[in-house]
Amino acid sequence: HVQLVESGGGSVQAGGSLRLSCAASAYTGGPFYMAYFRQAPGKEREGVAAIARGGDTTYIDSVKGRFTISVDKSDYTLYLQMNSLKPEDTAMYYCAAVRACPTLSLRSETYYYWGQGTQVTVS
């Protein structure tokens, strides 16, 4: 069983940066497809960024050029570097992973393992 443990959230002023981390505890070996999702109060969960086993990435339009997703393949720790943060980026952020999928996806139903979430607040 793979558990995803998140860290790195917090409060920041608009224009600032944060880096989220997601560590796979009880690591049983990858590779994985991995992604970050977020959910703001009163809104549906949305996929923010995803990274395939081969390194391909995809982002929602609202974060392109500002966020970068990456993974350390030695232990499948996932990172989301968030720059030029905006108040509309405020949400609970969740990491997710799945061992295999047909194509890189930002759909939540694609992913099997989920982190507990970390809050990001931009003021």
Side-chain angles (χ1 to χ4, degrees), residues 26-57:
Y27 175 60
T28 58
F32 298 105
Y33 288 77
M34 304 186 79
Y36 269 101
F37 291 77
R38 66 186 180 187
Q39 188 166 21
K43 294 187 177 181
E44 293 186 355
R45 185 174 296 189
E46 65 174 353
V48 175
I51 185 165
R53 297 187 296 185
D56 290 344
T57 58

Side-chain angles (χ1 to χ4, degrees), residues 53-114:
R53 297 187 296 185
D56 290 344
T57 58
T58 189
Y59 300 88
I60 55 170
D61 287 345
S62 60
V63 307
K64 286 180 180 177
R66 300 189 297 122
F67 290 12
T68 302
I69 191 169
S70 62
V71 63
D72 181 341
K73 291 186 177 180
S74 67
D75 60 3
Y76 279 87
T77 297
L78 183 69
Y79 299 99
L80 185 68
Q81 178 66 43
M82 305 185 294
N83 298 327
S84 302
L85 282 161
K86 303 176 181 181
E88 51 263 44
D89 295 318
T90 295
M92 185 71 79
Y93 282 70
Y94 300 88
C95 65
V98 64
R99 292 192 184 275
C101 61
T103 186
L104 190 57
S105 171
L106 287 176
R107 299 178 63 180
S108 59
E109 57 266 32
T110 298
Y111 296 89
Y112 185 77
Y113 303 105
W114 289 85

